[in-house]
C-alpha cells in the first residue's frame, strides 16, 4: 500500500499495538484514515492508468467515477476523523487537569502527572496521523478544478483540526514539562558522578532536566508540526538559560 496505505503507513512512529490500546481516540482516527487511504490508493492508481483519450467516452467516464469515489471516501473519512478529534479533549482527564492548572504548589502535588503524560502522548500521535493523511490527500487525490474555492479548502476541516491540536499540544506540553521540572527541582539531591569518589557529586536536577527536555522535544517532533517543535524547543532553551549572546547559564535557567 505504500507509505500511506493501510494502518501502518499512517501510524508511523509509535504506532505499536500496545500504544494504540491505550489511545482510543488516536487509534480510532488511525483506523478511519488508514482504511480510507487503503481504498483510495488503488482507485488513484486505476484512475491514473486510464488512457487520456478525449475520443473514448468510456475512459473519461471511468476516470470520473474513480475520482468521485475517491472524493466521497476522503470527505467521509475526514468528517469522521474531525468528529473523533473533537471528542478527545472532552474525554481526557489529563488534558482537563492541565488546562485548569494554576501552578500552585498544592496543585502540583495533587495532580496526576501520569494521566497528563498519557494524554499528551495520544495527542502527539493523533497529530502525526492527521498530518500524514493530509499530505496523502493532497498528493493523491487530484482535483479536476483545482482553482475553485471548494477545492482549495478541500482539507480545511481536517487541517484546522490539525492546526488546533498542534497548537494546543505545544501549550500543554510546555505546561506539563514546567510542572515536572518543578517537581524534579523540589526532589533534587546530590548524586555520585563516579563510584568510590564521595566528594564528586552533581545535583540530580541536571540529569532529570536533561531527561525531561529530551522527552518533550522527541514527543513534539512526533507531531510532525514545526510550530510544536519550535515552541517546545524554545521552552527548553529558556529552561537551560540559553540565549544567543551568553550561551548556557546566562538566562537564569537550570544553572
Amino acid at each position: 500500500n505504500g507509505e500511506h496505505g493501510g494502518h501502518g503507513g499512517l501510524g508511523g512512529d509509535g504506532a505499536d499495538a500496545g500504544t494504540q490500546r491505550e489511545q482510543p481516540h488516536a487509534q480510532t482516527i488511525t483506523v478511519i484514515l488508514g482504511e480510507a487511504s487503503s481504498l483510495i490508493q488503488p482507485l488513484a492508481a486505476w484512475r491514473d492508468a486510464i488512457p487520456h483519450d478525449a475520443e473514448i467516452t468510456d475512459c473519461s467516464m471511468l476516470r470520473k467515477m474513480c475520482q468521485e469515489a475517491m472524493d466521497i471516501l476522503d470527505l467521509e473519512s475526514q468528517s469522521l476523523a474531525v468528529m473523533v478529534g473533537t471528542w478527545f479533549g472532552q474525554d481526557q482527564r489529563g488534558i482537563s487537569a492541565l488546562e485548569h492548572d494554576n501552578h500552585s504548589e498544592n496543585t502540583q502535588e495533587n495532580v496526576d502527572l501520569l494521566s497528563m503524560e498519557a494524554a499528551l502522548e495520544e495527542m502527539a500521535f493523533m497529530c502525526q496521523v492527521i498530518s500524514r493523511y493530509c499530505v496523502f490527500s493532497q498528493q493523491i487525490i487530484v482535483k479536476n478544478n483545482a482553482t475553485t474555492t471548494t477545492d482549495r479548502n478541500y482539507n480545511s476541516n481536517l487541517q484546522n483540526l490539525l492546526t488546533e491540536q498542534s497548537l494546543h499540544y505545544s501549550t500543554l506540553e510546555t505546561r506539563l514539562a514546567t510542572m515536572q521540572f518543578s517537581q524534579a527541582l523540589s526532589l533534587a539531591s546530590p548524586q555520585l558522578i563516579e563510584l568510590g569518589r564521595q566528594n564528586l557529586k552533581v545535583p540530580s536536577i541536571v540529569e532529570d532536566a536533561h531527561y525531561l527536555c529530551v522527552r518533550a522535544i522527541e514527543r513534539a517532533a512526533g507531531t510532525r508540526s514545526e510550530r510544536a517543535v519550535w515552541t517546545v524547543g524554545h521552552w527548553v532553551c529558556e529552561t537551560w538559560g540559553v540565549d544567543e549572546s551568553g550561551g548556557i547559564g546566562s538566562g537564569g535557567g537550570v544553572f
Side-chain angles (χ1 to χ4, degrees), residues 1 4-7 33-42 136:
N1 290 333
H4 299 285
H7 300 209
L33 299 181
E35 290 291 346
S37 65
S38 66
L39 294 173
I40 290 171
Q41 194 162 29
F136 166 81

Side-chain angles (χ1 to χ4, degrees), residues 15-32:
D16 55 277
T19 301
Q20 289 187 347
R21 279 195 296 269
E22 300 170 359
Q23 301 178 350
H25 301 83
Q27 182 185 17
T28 302
I29 290 178
T30 301
V31 171
I32 293 171

